[in-house]
Amino acid sequence: IINLILGGNSWLGITNNNKSTPQLKLFGGNVKISLPKGNNLKVEMSQAVVTVKGTSFELTENGERSMVKVMEGVVEFRHKNTGATTSVSAGQTFVSTPQGLGAVLYNPQTQPSE
């Protein structure tokens, strides 16, 4: 079972094309995905493609920036234009823009100190 939680105003397409690995396309918005180990999934976004093998992660898309935040496991994050690929592990967030891939060096959950 693949669990998907879509944020408001999100647009997600699902295709299978008789392949063993389901494919999703996130056109915009935010989706949290939980995938049991041993299952595969591929998600296409405007700037990147995420290949997943049993993990928990969140994707955010705005048409110019594709972002993945991994909560559990590891995902492969590939830039659509350059083909550059990185493995993103639990606790890491990476972004893909037209210029390339890069790590996000802050934790969006952390509140600024007063």
Side-chain angles (χ1 to χ4, degrees):
I1 295 175
I2 299 171
N3 292 310
L4 304 171
I5 301 172
L6 287 173
N9 297 320
S10 295
W11 182 18
L12 181 72
I14 301 172
T15 59
N16 191 327
N17 297 332
N18 297 319
K19 295 180 182 175
S20 59
T21 302
Q23 291 189 282
L24 305 178
K25 183 161 185 176
L26 182 61
F27 295 96
N30 178 272
V31 61
K32 290 183 182 180
I33 300 173
S34 180
L35 183 70
K37 290 186 192 284
N39 291 286
N40 297 329
L41 178 69
K42 187 176 280 190
V43 184
E44 182 180 348
M45 297 183 288
S46 70
Q47 303 299 318
V49 176
V50 177
T51 302
V52 184
K53 297 181 181 192
T55 190
S56 180
F57 61 101
E58 180 177 349
L59 301 174
T60 302
E61 172 63 48
N62 71 6
E64 304 236 346
R65 189 174 91 154
S66 302
M67 190 164 68
V68 62
K69 177 182 177 184
V70 178
M71 280 75 85
E72 180 183 321
V74 177
V75 303
E76 177 186 285
F77 198 50
R78 178 176 57 85
H79 192 273
K80 286 176 72 173
N81 293 330
T82 67
T85 302
T86 189
S87 291
V88 184
S89 301
Q92 293 182 319
T93 302
F94 267 73
V95 66
S96 180
T97 65
Q99 291 75 36
L101 297 177
V104 176
L105 301 177
Y106 68 92
N107 182 344
Q109 303 291 333
T110 304
Q111 299 297 320
S113 57
E114 298 189 25

